[in-house]
């Protein structure tokens, strides 16, 4: 079959499109019908989910089946003006709304991939806020295109919209259409879906990505969110996680559930949510993210002990594990770096300043904590090694006598097919050299990664199984031979071009 | 059939969506491959077509089948920054590009209806820049939705994209797919279409809307545009009009033509293009628009002579006919109003200033020309009558002894189904009262409209027939019983909602 | 004395600062105290004065002596958002406000020169909206700087503010301070000045620049404006011109006048206001601008008759004189060019398009009017000759058999010291060659300029004398030996730098 | 004397102007002349000083005495676009530049107070980047105004510019002018000053505000900055603090010093710089800010011990002291709150969300750390008490058994005259009630403030004395009877208005 996805409309052609992304999902169903509040809920929740995606964001409101939206590139503070929120409030009947923050691979900050997706159809309008990645999206997309479908975006969520719409043609409700579509969708998906009158939440049968249900203050309605920290920000209380495979339907203020797809396969929550993705104050499947990271640090201390004077974390994601390492080892915890609080959003990289200086603007070592000390520095992962190298150099310049690097996860050596953006294995340092060589390469005095065995014990309270495929290479489903993005390679596409009209 | 087009996502709910609009279309095929120039051509051409639509605009470029675009709300000067043009130039291989300016009914300035439409498909990408209106779009849309299609916009152009895509599934080229689709499309359409390697221009068999072909300076390629004035602005020379029903295909620098749909019906160019829509310096079907308006003024002078001291036009669209009236009648031509040149774009209406003052900011009478004179004032049409009333009041205040109003078209009393936005007949003064009553209502000393008979003689050089349905009520095709927008009425939609899931 | 005005903070260093500029002045004093209306008046008036300056603009409001302002670069539509107007309304007590549009020489679109100027002082706040040019500003500036003054801008208005402030230290009212300052100020100035409780209007004793007084509808207050067209736009009625040398003081709703400086010298209104600067619908010193231009065309026809088929004007400023030429000569008036209405504001010049194409985007010849005709084309002036050359080329390409150029003013061959921006005589074609050579250079069949004698008869109704120094070289006051801007030359400045600390 | 500072052009009239502010100062002198780098240095340094002011910022560059600037409201990321940096680079000769971040009291985010100030003068241009507050600015301002000076801003820096300019009229160099001016300036000032050829750094004789000197990498030049963290961000090395009273002059790449004003009074660095203002990674007068805060926590633990299970800090400013408390007390340190990283910049406050919810969006308690624990929570200060109240409520809701509040500074009970913005004592909870009452009011189980005695021992390495006037009421100089802003009270001003012309 001639596949011609000329979809990599990226900024610089460095990197082809990838059909997976990491995102934050939010939906709200209010019994009260308070127009302004529902938009405020979405807006506040997006701030709490912003760490899951800073590339684009959007809110869709509903007025008796008429959908109005605002979406924009960049973080919420850049994409939403006061007038945008006011306009959405005017167009909302105050009952149902969806919101989304999107992470997109480099070069994919393009308007047509912003979410929530809004689709119009004779069976009623539908909006989808999606987090995950399908492994069979290319096949499904080809199938729907060969039936006459047209795609505006390059995102998996449009494939899912087609699958649900296909179901609506024969089924009598949108939830039945979704139930039917799930037989076709292979991979990771956690979604909030809005129809004219319903808010629906769904997770794939493996439960790769988190999704939880909360109740609004004073029982005024329901919310669904990727992480529980989004509930806290709006004063909602945590009710429970959506089950793997479950379809939760909220209509007329009442929650019902379709469980056909539940327990069809063992659950496999992405373990990387605990290690890096989620916010420490979130609780996923009953386990605290902060607790898991503390534990990661404690296991690290057991597996890779060292004599040292101070334990520091690389802010912000290394702080929890550093505290765990300190507690287990008895080595005092210290504040080793000050992170600039003002560059989370747009930072115009100076033209003349190299990568090392770019790191220096973000992180400044605290000489007081480091000078003449043997330092244990804890981070969550090493990607290319370049940044770690600079961090060690900063510590040595600040007077550290020894620098011992501890990583609160195993080496990343396998691709992820379910939504974590590991773009190119050839740039992953752990795929290229041994741990000893990495240690020398980053100029550390010692280097220790968390063991795979300990990873499995990070969240003992969790009521689910885990996917650790990126560390172990063992995936819960058959995965393609090659990384999905390869088929979007420009050279490949150009060859295909020659054969089409 | 349950139809549920919840599509009137308008600003103020005053007015439902209308499936027709007036727009400007442009496409360019360069043999040279000069990256920057092709974007400059589009940009300059849009300035020349801006009078056809000020609500949104866009440019799509092509790099060996990879499409990149920039679209925005408002006029070109607001929607395109220098950096947008530079970015498009970087993403273009300099060969093919499309551009569009869009007029949208009140409340429809929404991002998802901006054009050119860009659709991705396994058979290759496609972009469409469209001007016109289908009369069977609702039926076609329902058909494609019932086959599983999803609509992102509320515009007819997405229906057309589905029809062409349907053809591509079985035909071997996009032009054959288009040829096939044209059997289904009923109504007015003039389009430029871009595929990975081709620029295609097409007009419906009636040729309701204009579209012409030009050649770039030094035979460096081809352009298609709604009006010939866009060719002048980029130094291109006029070659010929696209024939009604013709599909013009430009590939590898060579023009070929599919004429299957030509001469299947008598041609019916919209006569209102000569009266109001087109720019006076454009030549359509061989007839100068300025010439047609001069002629309208001359006929008016014959049909509605009056003793007067000066003939003035309401700027800008009444000036040509006023000159014609002056020439025919021998009454001196004068400049009667100064139009503020700085409010064509955004004008923030003062909160405390009423409609009369709003007109005063735009138009100021030239006392020197008017004082103590018997004035003939020529305009192209009267809509609600309110503005004409204010204009007459301004003339009287400026000292006019008599004010004789002459309108260079017949009264608007029938709906248009082919792209001219007559929103609501109940607000059209000519539907509500007799010409004598209008004359009294606007406080004119006399009022004369151009006769239907003269309208038919406005462009004697034109090689085509005309549609004057909005004046005569006679349409070239069977039209629906009611105005198409009625089916988008909110109340209707809400009733439907109750029956759907 | 070492003068070191390092003030030419221009965009491109091509052109040094010039201490004169052409601007639009507006002030309003309302008895009513309607907060929003006063801002609306300013906003509407600026639209009507926009032709006097498109580089920056501003509005200053007054709340019992507390001044708040908004200023911005570019035209009003770009510089003022709805929220800016609302904010100003909130900060206004609805009584007094000033507004300004500014023309600035190339490269001087810098924030610190925007007006109205707002100065804080122990004697009370003061704001000034200024049009004109001082010939002794450098001397005065040096004087005030040597007394310890600091300058933030490079504009003459700051010099004037110092002169008035100097007067306030000894005089008991601001109008007396102004009266005293006027003995020091040499040159052209028409100003509206706002103190905590007064609106003051003043013209220099020669009355170089226009300034008139109007009364608000229903006698609700007073306005002053550079041109009467600004009164029309807000429904105000023309009362009278401010007299040359007069200080008009509006306080507690009552107008009083200080005439000490009146009739001390013969009045000398800039004749170029009638020829080019003012809007045709304005009446200055009792003479209609449109009337003066009609007359200019008629004199041209008498002085430079020619056999031709049509007379056309270069839009917009050549249209009135073309009509006059037509009337006097009997040659039919025609519409020769369509001017693009959408490029008055920001037009991003295409990078690859040369000057000729840039003109083509703005002006398109109307072939219908021109083809096979002997054309008389009327314009108000020729600067470099380049544009005229392109215009003639366009006419010839459009089929004109002959092109006869008529200019409704004499050749520009002397510098202006009073506010008209003639930047560099070496680029003025009339300073470089004879009229015959210009005619050949622009490829015209004939060329005729209006005679100096006729210029003096353009506005016979005017109650004042005229300055025609730019044509005649005769100035009402002693002017410096060299153009004032020379002292801002960068090389000069750099030499000076060496001597300063 | 009639004083009429109508200067409180604030957003909401709640709060009058205050002539002091907290700011960040930066200047660079490069020997190299690398155009782009000097702007990058400024830009990066501003990011590192952003915590000292988020209300406006600016950069001024110098091209052989021609100054060009860009200033804007808000944080750097909002105020500077890439094109602004590029433009500044074009206008710089790469040698000298100044930069500034500004904190302004509520309602004072107004363009005319942005810094660096740029003043033009016959003795050469001057730009000033200022941090501090004069106590005699009103008197000096009146003095200069009575000599004919005009003020555009309401900032002390314009008063200082007048004082220096006064000196330039008689002295032969700008540094001598500054030396002379310092005899008149009373209060706190740390400044970087740029003339055509020099970079000058100066601190007032008390040295209230910090200012340090660094050397660019590879000895390519010099920088001055409010804090040493700004040096780190650009790879510069710390050289030394500017001495209290010292004038440091950098010209032709050489540093010289004027010490006339040194050691004339005992040094009095603001102790609040260590407690709150400065970044923990800065070193001021030889003492680490982080070290001082650790020590504050340790003293707190000694002065206010308590039995507890965990010590947490309120992010970010309470973290260091919490760690110190933990180390001294032996109670484990924990992460108690997750602070949202995306709201440092603009956060549109939801209309319907109360203050409690607003805090919830910023801070979320980490239940895992807190539940069933006796919690010590450390913060740097209590202002109104409202936020502390909410924080305690959050901790209790998260399951804390006991909440013990420890504040790492003494109660704020006296006004600051030297640059710390304590707006209104009537809103300071410590001025209104006893510590016991505060404890009850915020619903804490216990409350302890750091003692004044311990404050004096926070930075034992520091080579200077301290000002703790806000805690002790003892100031190094005679201070006015009332807070300076009172004289800007609107009612006062209005009365004055009546007496002026």
């Amino acid at each position: 079959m001639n596949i011609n996805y000329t979809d990599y409309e990226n900024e610089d052609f460095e990197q082809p499109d990838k059909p997976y992304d990491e995102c934050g999902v939010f939906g709200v169903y209010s019994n009260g019908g308070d127009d302004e509040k529902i938009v405020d809920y979405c807006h506040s929740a997006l701030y709490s989910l912003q760490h899951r995606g800073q590339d684009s964001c959007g809110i869709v409101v509903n007025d008796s089946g008429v959908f109005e939206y605002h979406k924009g590139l960049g973080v919420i503070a850049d994409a939403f003006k006061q007038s945008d929120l006011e306009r959405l409030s005017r167009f909302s009947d105050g009952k149902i709304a969806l919101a989304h923050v999107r992470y997109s691979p480099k070069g994919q900050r393009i308007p047509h991939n912003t979410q929530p997706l809004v689709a119009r159809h004779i069976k009623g309008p539908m909006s989808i806020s999606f987090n995950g990645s399908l492994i069979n999206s290319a096949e499904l997309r080809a199938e729907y295109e060969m039936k006459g479908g047209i795609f505006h975006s390059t995102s998996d969520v449009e494939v899912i919209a087609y699958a649900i719409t296909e179901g609506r043609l024969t089924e009598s409700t949108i939830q039945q259409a979704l139930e039917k579509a799930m037989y076709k969708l292979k991979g990771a998906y956690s979604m909030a879906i809005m129809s004219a009158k319903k808010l629906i939440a769904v997770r794939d049968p493996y439960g790769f990505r988190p999704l939880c249900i909360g109740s609004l203050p004073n029982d005024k309605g329901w919310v669904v969110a990727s992480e529980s920290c989004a509930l806290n920000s709006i004063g909602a209380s945590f009710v429970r996680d959506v089950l793997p495979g479950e379809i939760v339907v909220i209509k007329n203020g009442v929650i019902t559930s379709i469980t056909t797809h539940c327990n069809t396969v063992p659950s496999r929550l992405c373990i990387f949510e605990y290690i890096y993705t989620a916010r420490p104050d979130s609780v996923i499947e009953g386990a605290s993210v902060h607790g898991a990271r503390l534990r990661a640090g404690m296991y690290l201390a057991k597996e890779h002990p060292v004599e040292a004077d101070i334990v520091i974390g690389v802010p912000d994601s290394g702080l929890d594990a550093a505290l765990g390492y300190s507690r287990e080892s008895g080595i005092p915890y210290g504040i080793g770096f000050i992170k600039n609080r003002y560059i989370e959003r747009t930072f115009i990289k100076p033209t003349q300043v190299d990568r090392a200086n770019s790191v220096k603007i973000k992180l400044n070592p605290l000489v007081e904590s480091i000078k003449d000390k043997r330092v244990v520095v804890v981070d969550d992962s090493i990607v290319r090694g370049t940044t770690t190298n600079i961090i060690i150099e900063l510590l040595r310049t600040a007077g550290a006598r020894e620098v011992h690097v501890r990583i609160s996860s195993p080496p990343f050596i396998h691709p992820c097919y379910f939504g974590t953006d590991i773009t190119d294995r050839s740039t992953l340092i752990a795929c290229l050299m041994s741990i000893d060589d990495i240690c020398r390469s980053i100029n550390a005095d010692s280097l220790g990664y968390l063991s795979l065995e300990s990873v499995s014990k990070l969240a003992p309270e969790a009521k689910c199984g885990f996917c650790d495929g990126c560390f172990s290479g063992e995936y819960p489903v058959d995965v393609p031979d090659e990384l999905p993005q390869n088929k979007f390679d420009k050279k490949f596409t150009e060859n295909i071009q020659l054969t089409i009209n």
Side-chain angles (χ1 to χ4, degrees), chain A:
Chain A
M1 187 197 303
N2 286 345
I3 294 184
N4 173 34
Y5 287 110
T6 54
D7 299 330
Y8 48 98
E9 306 194 345
N10 43 23
E11 278 293 300
D12 44 21
F13 291 99
E14 277 179 25
Q15 187 170 305
D17 190 24
K18 264 153 284 92
Y20 51 76
D21 41 32
E22 195 64 76
C23 299
V25 164
F26 183 77
V28 53
Y29 186 106
S30 163
N31 304 323
D34 186 336
D35 300 10
E36 292 183 33
K37 211 149 193 173
I38 207 163
V39 175
D40 285 346
Y41 285 146
C42 289
H43 185 237
S44 297
L46 289 186
Y47 266 98
S48 297
L49 295 171
Q50 185 79 82
H51 61 288
R52 295 185 74 85
Q54 294 99 47
D55 290 329
S56 65
C57 52
I59 296 175
V60 181
V61 295
N62 183 337
D63 180 13
S64 305
V66 182
F67 290 7
E68 185 66 44
Y69 61 79
H70 180 79
K71 308 186 202 173
L73 297 184
V75 294
I76 301 134
D78 285 334
F80 280 81
K81 296 189 299 293
Q82 180 71 39
S83 58
D84 299 321
L85 298 174
E86 288 167 2
R87 181 173 155 271
L88 286 178
S89 291
R90 276 202 308 282
F91 281 99
S92 163
D93 61 10
K95 294 199 66 178
I96 323 180
L98 290 190
H100 194 264
V101 289
R102 182 171 189 265
Y103 166 83
S104 50
K106 195 171 171 221
Q108 292 294 318
R109 284 183 55 177
I110 35 181
H112 59 253
N113 275 355
T114 51
Q115 289 191 36
L117 172 142
V118 175
R120 295 149 215 287
H121 194 270
I122 199 166
K123 292 291 189 175
M126 173 173 64
S127 181
I128 308 179
S129 180
F130 163 79
N131 175 30
S133 178
L134 300 185
I135 57 176
N136 65 334
S137 66
E139 290 75 4
L140 289 176
R141 186 166 167 152
E143 175 189 330
Y144 292 118
E145 288 182 343
M146 289 309 290
K147 288 180 181 165
I150 294 172
F151 282 74
H152 292 242
S153 77
T154 60
S155 165
D156 284 7
V157 71
E158 198 171 4
V159 172
I160 294 172
Y162 268 97
I164 299 173
T165 299
E166 186 178 44
R168 296 181 93 181
L169 298 181
T170 55
E171 304 304 311
S172 61
T173 67
I174 190 168
Q175 58 266 38
Q176 288 169 315
L178 170 61
E179 185 192 356
K180 192 170 172 187
M182 285 171 72
Y183 290 103
K184 296 186 93 163
L185 305 175
K186 293 199 191 330
Y189 50 89
S190 284
M191 302 189 280
I193 301 173
M194 175 168 68
S195 72
K197 309 198 157 184
K198 300 169 197 163
L199 174 65
I200 295 170
V202 61
R203 279 172 89 193
D204 65 77
Y206 292 98
F208 284 109
R209 297 287 151 206
L211 193 66
C212 66
I213 307 173
S215 88
L216 284 176
N218 307 317
D219 290 321
K220 291 189 82 171
W222 305 93
V223 295
V224 296
S226 288
E227 294 185 33
S228 64
C229 67
L231 309 185
N232 304 138
S233 70
I234 58 171
S237 4
F238 179 83
V239 173
R240 64 173 177 90
D241 293 287
V242 175
L243 299 175
E246 184 185 14
I247 299 170
V248 173
V249 181
I250 307 172
K251 187 182 176 183
N252 295 331
V254 178
I255 287 196
T256 55
S257 198
I258 298 175
T259 56
T260 328
H261 291 279
C262 294
N263 297 314
T264 53
V265 292
S267 68
R268 293 297 202 116
L269 178 70
C270 170
I271 192 69
F272 207 58
E273 290 278 346
Y274 288 110
I275 294 169
Y276 173 80
T277 312
R279 234 170 74 165
D281 48 336
S282 285
V283 174
I284 302 176
E285 293 285 352
S288 153
V289 173
H290 173 65
R293 290 184 192 171
L294 271 182
R295 216 167 278 124
M298 294 168 86
Y299 289 133
L300 259 182
K302 283 183 192 160
E303 295 180 359
H304 302 285
V306 65
E307 278 202 23
D309 303 307
I310 194 161
V311 180
I312 63 173
V314 178
D316 291 319
S317 54
L319 297 181
D320 310 75
L323 191 56
Y325 196 102
S326 163
R327 287 191 186 165
E328 177 67 27
S329 65
I331 305 169
Y333 174 81
I335 297 173
F337 287 97
I338 297 300
K339 185 175 181 185
N340 194 310
R341 290 177 286 156
Y342 300 95
I343 53 178
E344 290 292 343
R345 285 172 56 189
T346 336
F347 174 66
I348 303 168
K349 203 182 157 296
T351 47
Q352 296 287 319
V353 169
D354 58 22
R355 186 170 188 81
N357 279 322
S358 178
V359 173
K360 282 179 195 165
I361 295 165
K362 290 185 196 166
L363 289 181
N364 198 25
L366 235 168
V367 176
E368 177 84 5
S369 301
I370 292 157
K371 197 171 183 193
D372 298 328
K373 300 258 178 68
R374 294 168 300 174
V375 178
V376 176
V377 57
V378 183
D379 205 350
D380 58 84
S381 60
I382 299 179
V383 183
R384 285 177 170 79
T386 334
T387 302
T388 312
N389 206 333
I390 296 166
I391 283 171
I392 295 172
E393 174 68 22
L394 286 174
L395 290 173
R396 295 204 187 275
T397 306
R401 277 205 292 133
E402 296 173 13
V403 179
H404 302 277
V405 177
R406 296 296 177 268
I407 302 300
S408 61
S409 65
F412 244 144
I413 45 179
H414 298 281
C416 174
Y417 296 85
F418 308 106
T420 305
D421 178 25
I422 312 171
T423 57
D424 184 353
R425 292 177 62 197
S426 69
T427 65
L428 291 177
I429 197 168
C431 294
L432 300 176
M433 51 178 95
S434 70
I435 292 178
D436 279 357
D437 286 343
I438 297 173
C439 182
R440 268 188 295 277
S441 152
I442 59 175
N443 194 25
D445 290 294
S446 74
L447 167 63
Y449 281 92
L450 190 66
S451 68
L452 246 179
E453 195 196 344
S454 292
V455 161
S456 67
K457 300 182 296 185
L458 288 184
E461 314 90 335
K463 306 154 297 186
C464 61
F466 299 110
C467 175
D468 59 5
C470 55
F471 306 130
S472 68
E474 288 173 29
Y475 304 99
V477 287
D478 285 344
V479 293
D481 293 341
E482 48 174 354
L483 263 176
Q485 68 266 37
N486 291 353
K487 77 167 73 96
F488 298 98
D489 180 84
K490 189 166 185 241
K491 201 169 272 169
F492 177 81
T493 307
E494 279 172 343
N495 291 335
I496 293 299
Q497 296 279 3
L498 303 176
T499 71
I500 63 159
N501 61 86

